[in-house]
Amino acid sequence: VGTGPTTGVVVSEDGYIISSAFNFASKPASILVELPGRKRLAAKLIATDRSKMLTLLKIDAKNLIPIKPASQKSFQVGQWTIAVGRTFEENVPSMSVGILSAVDRIWGKAIQTDCKVSPVNYGGPLLDINGNAMGILVPLSARKQGATAGVEWYDSGIGFAVPMEDIYASLKRLKTGKDLHRGLMGLVRFQSRDALGGKPVLGVIRVESPAEIAGFKKGDLILKLGGKKVFRQADVRHVLGRKYAGDEIEMTVSRKGKQITKKMVLVDVIRPFEAGFLGILPMREGNTNSTSVGVRFVYPNSPAEKAGLKVKDRITTFNGTKIVDTTQLSQMVNKLSPEQKVTLVYRRGKSEKTIELKLGHISNEIPVDLRPVILPLSEDEEKKDAKAPVTNTPKTGRFTAKLPNGEHSYWVFVPDFYNPNYKYTMMVWIHPTNDTMEAAMIKKWKTLCRKKGIIIIAPRATKLSRWPSTDAGFVKEAVEEMKEKYSIDSKRIFLHGYASGGAFAYHLAFKYRDLFRGVCVVDSPITERLLENDSDLPLQFYILTNGKLAQPNRNQIIRMLMGLKRMKYPVIDESFNDRETAYPSDDAVGRMAVWADSLDKI
């Protein structure tokens, strides 16, 4: 962040000056402005445009000459441009001559020049050959926000300027003393991953955002935004790039062949999604025709406990909707936020009762007193007891499998007495580099797998020395193959990584959000960008850290935990003290198993 002299441009006769926000991000205690031929004057910072990274200053002066803007209609790619700055105390300003390389850059916020642009001339004007201001030079980035975003283009021949006409258009709002922020409508992502050419079909919409309040839904295809036709995702970003929080914008979408037009007011902050919490674990009832959800466990101090729900109660109606199964109830609760009031009907014995309660925050406690589900005997085991012939029994115990292409292998552990009528938890073990830890993992987990109904699948990295990113597809394929062969509860599939394997576990969790519901990692930070929490694809984290882990790694994990919690992910973080580089003790592994057994909490 700049701390020294910088350049500014007069934009009104009564002392308003516009400059780049780069040199004011550190909030200087005092600001002095030196006008040509005049003494220095104290300046006051009035407001900052945090979308286009401009700062408005005010000095006590009159009869100043505002800079004249060049008309954007006259801009032509290839025309001469002059980047000017007066950063140092010299009689002659610094200048760089170039051309206008492009218009409508940084999602419609800026024009581009190949002049040398750097802190030497940030805040100065980009002029045409007639001396009119085409724009104000600022560092900008298409991917990042902030005063220093785009500084990496320093003197590279890629420089940006915010059009002067746009600055004058927003000047009145800046003069009120309130910062301007980019306008957000609450769209987390589109359905297509092609950010530039993909169709603008709405994917995830943030709860209680302008888009949701206006009534837009997942699957809507945007046809018009702000009066302009849009065909690609990039078109949407270009329209929104020019908008500020507080602006009203109209959007037309196509939904099931019908066009729907709604208006919404953009906001500056979209609250991170946080799912509401009822406070129960549902019963696991296999392939039954039940039309309600039984209560297996009630979390202490949860909304459910405070409302009087007890084990074996059956929830029949939620917010006026008849409950068919656990998946339906879970999705309904997950769409709501903490503190929202809900009404549910439950049955206890032959009596039925209606209650109203406020949803809470997802518990960050492991229910250590949770009793394991009593796993029913399979038909094959019953036949064994009756000494009848057994046929088509899926493999159990420890065995090795390969994908159909024969190139990738993985080992599996399936508990004895496997019953296809029960939905099992699946743990996907991501081993550390240079050691699959197969024998140690089976020793640690075998008994817990039998007690709690956990199936382990352990892919082997193509290169044992590291997990190549290309192995992600193979892991996904192996998990899906196991889901086809065995009875797996999709709400209880989790990744478990240790040390260097943890980073790849995080990568898989964010890459295949529709496949995994939990991540349990020991002694490893996330090494890539965190994605936002998603109401449609909930993800829970259990992070364990060895108290003897080296300080730099511990600091990385602490920062990661802060990021996950800031994004409102359900996170349980615990530490254990063991010899350095050791996998956790049996007690800690037992807590992992209980956490995995409670991934389907509602």
Side-chain angles (χ1 to χ4, degrees):
V1 177
T3 56
T6 190
T7 306
V9 172
V10 174
V11 289
S12 74
E13 295 180 355
D14 55 349
Y16 283 99
I17 295 170
I18 201 77
S19 182
S20 164
F22 177 76
N23 274 61
F24 302 96
S26 58
K27 299 180 180 179
S30 63
I31 303 170
L32 296 175
V33 172
E34 183 175 345
L35 297 172
R38 301 194 189 190
K39 63 180 181 180
R40 292 184 176 182
L41 299 172
K44 180 181 179 182
L45 195 155
I46 302 300
T48 296
D49 182 335
R50 300 194 178 278
S51 175
K52 298 172 182 174
M53 299 319 300
L54 297 162
T55 291
L56 182 67
L57 306 174
K58 178 70 168 67
I59 59 174
D60 187 10
K62 295 181 179 179
N63 301 319
L64 302 180
I65 302 174
I67 198 164
K68 184 179 178 181
S71 171
Q72 291 187 65
K73 293 180 180 179
S74 69
F75 292 175
Q76 293 184 6
V77 173
Q79 75 178 80
W80 289 105
T81 57
I82 307 168
V84 181
R86 191 186 288 276
T87 297
F88 303 110
E89 295 186 27
E90 298 178 355
N91 293 326
V92 179
S94 60
M95 291 192 298
S96 175
V97 178
I99 63 167
L100 182 66
S101 310
V103 296
D104 215 23
R105 294 303 310 275
I106 314 295
W107 308 119
K109 298 178 186 179
I111 54 177
Q112 182 177 320
T113 178
D114 67 352
C115 294
K116 291 183 178 180
V117 177
S118 72
V120 171
N121 51 22
Y122 287 161
L126 182 69
L127 304 174
D128 62 18
I129 58 174
N130 296 314
N132 298 320
M134 301 175 72
I136 297 297
L137 300 166
V138 291
L140 285 175
S141 171
R143 296 183 178 181
K144 301 177 183 177
Q145 287 284 117
T148 60
V151 174
E152 63 270 18
W153 300 115
Y154 181 107
D155 279 352
S156 66
I158 299 176
F160 300 105
V162 177
M164 202 68 219
E165 285 188 332
D166 291 350
I167 294 172
Y168 275 119
S170 61
L171 191 57
K172 185 177 180 180
R173 294 169 73 172
L174 283 171
K175 286 181 178 180
T176 64
K178 294 182 179 179
D179 288 357
L180 299 182
H181 298 267
R182 62 175 179 153
L184 305 172
M185 68 177 185
L187 175 63
V188 176
R189 67 170 181 266
F190 293 98
Q191 286 191 358
S192 169
R193 294 193 176 189
D194 184 353
L196 295 176
K199 287 186 177 182
V201 179
L202 300 183
V204 178
I205 299 172
R206 179 65 71 239
V207 175
E208 297 179 3
S209 67
E212 192 208 42
I213 293 170
F216 295 110
K217 297 181 179 181
K218 180 179 180 179
D220 288 349
L221 172 65
I222 303 176
L223 303 176
K224 284 185 179 181
L225 184 63
K228 295 185 177 181
K229 290 183 179 181
V230 295
F231 303 95
R232 306 172 301 146
Q233 295 177 24
D235 297 335
V236 175
R237 296 195 66 178
H238 269 93
V239 174
L240 289 176
R242 295 183 171 92
K243 298 295 182 180
Y244 292 107
D247 288 348
E248 184 179 73
I249 192 168
E250 186 176 84
M251 186 161 78
T252 300
V253 301
S254 174
R255 181 187 302 164
K256 296 180 180 179
K258 294 183 179 180
Q259 288 194 13
I260 299 170
T261 300
K262 300 275 188 178
K263 291 182 179 179
M264 51 188 163
V265 177
L266 303 178
V267 296
D268 61 332
V269 176
I270 301 294
R271 183 169 58 87
F273 164 73
E274 181 180 9
F277 184 54
L278 185 57
I280 67 164
L281 282 172
M283 286 185 179
R284 296 170 191 162
E285 297 170 305
N287 300 323
T288 66
N289 295 319
S290 173
T291 56
S292 59
V293 171
V295 177
R296 173 192 172 200
F297 178 83
V298 179
Y299 279 80
N301 300 314
S302 67
E305 185 190 61
K306 292 174 183 177
L309 278 173
K310 295 182 179 180
V311 173
K312 295 185 180 180
D313 287 346
R314 301 200 67 86
I315 299 172
T316 59
T317 306
F318 184 83
N319 274 353
T321 300
K322 293 289 184 181
I323 296 302
V324 177
D325 56 25
T326 300
T327 299
Q328 179 197 17
L329 178 61
S330 178
Q331 289 175 347
M332 291 180 71
V333 173
N334 205 44
K335 290 286 186 182
L336 302 176
S337 303
E339 305 303 322
Q340 281 193 259
K341 289 184 178 181
V342 299
T343 302
L344 62 84
V345 180
Y346 70 90
R347 189 171 64 246
R348 181 178 297 165
K350 294 183 179 180
S351 63
E352 198 169 69
K353 188 174 181 179
T354 300
I355 56 174
E356 186 179 88
L357 53 83
K358 279 185 180 180
L359 296 178
H361 301 270
I362 293 178
S363 174
N364 60 357
E365 298 292 332
I366 294 176
V368 290
D369 53 347
L370 174 65
R371 294 180 180 179
V373 174
I374 298 175
L375 304 183
L377 284 176
S378 67
E379 292 179 3
D380 288 342
E381 292 302 324
E382 291 175 354
K383 287 180 180 179
K384 283 182 182 179
D385 292 341
K387 297 183 179 180
V390 177
T391 58
N392 299 324
T393 304
K395 280 187 178 180
T396 59
R398 186 266 173 217
F399 59 90
T400 300
K402 284 190 175 184
L403 292 181
N405 61 18
E407 296 179 3
H408 301 288
S409 65
Y410 55 94
W411 64 262
V412 178
F413 180 80
V414 179
D416 302 330
F417 314 127
Y418 166 77
N419 185 348
N421 292 319
Y422 175 79
K423 294 286 188 180
Y424 285 75
T425 299
M426 178 189 282
M427 180 176 92
V428 183
W429 165 242
I430 305 299
H431 64 75
T433 54
N434 298 317
D435 187 2
T436 64
M437 293 181 61
E438 181 178 345
M441 291 301 292
I442 290 178
K443 182 179 179 181
K444 286 276 188 182
W445 282 89
K446 181 166 62 175
T447 301
L448 289 168
C449 288
R450 288 169 174 162
K451 285 183 178 179
K452 297 187 179 296
I454 301 173
I455 291 175
I456 299 176
I457 171 175
R460 179 187 172 92
T462 304
K463 297 180 179 179
L464 195 59
S465 60
R466 65 184 180 89
W467 279 98
S469 60
T470 51
D471 275 359
F474 138 58
V475 175
K476 177 177 182 285
E477 192 175 343
V479 171
E480 290 177 337
E481 184 176 82
M482 285 294 294
K483 285 179 66 179
E484 289 180 5
K485 293 180 178 179
Y486 292 86
S487 178
I488 305 295
D489 186 345
S490 60
K491 296 184 292 298
R492 302 199 317 275
I493 301 177
F494 74 101
L495 291 147
H496 178 30
Y498 170 53
S500 53
F504 195 60
Y506 290 127
H507 173 73
L508 291 166
F510 286 117
K511 185 177 180 67
Y512 302 118
R513 292 285 291 270
D514 57 338
L515 189 58
F516 301 109
R517 288 293 167 265
V519 187
C520 176
V521 168
V522 181
D523 290 348
S524 179
I526 293 175
T527 57
E528 55 191 79
R529 184 175 67 90
L530 292 175
L531 298 181
E532 292 193 50
N533 199 0
D534 188 336
S535 60
D536 291 323
L537 304 170
L539 193 59
Q540 301 178 48
F541 292 85
Y542 184 21
I543 314 297
L544 290 98
T545 309
N546 191 334
K548 296 182 180 180
L549 191 67
Q551 191 65 40
N553 289 337
R554 289 176 63 189
N555 290 340
Q556 280 186 297
I557 292 172
I558 290 171
R559 287 193 295 271
M560 173 195 72
L561 288 168
M562 292 172 62
L564 289 171
K565 292 176 181 179
R566 186 169 57 250
M567 290 183 169
K568 302 299 182 182
Y569 280 103
V571 180
I572 297 175
D573 63 285
E574 296 181 345
S575 61
F576 63 96
N577 288 303
D578 216 327
R579 67 184 186 279
E580 196 169 353
T581 71
Y583 186 76
S585 64
D586 290 345
D587 287 343
V589 173
R591 290 177 64 81
M592 290 185 214
V594 176
W595 170 82
D597 193 28
S598 60
L599 281 172
D600 56 346
K601 57 178 169 279
I602 300 174

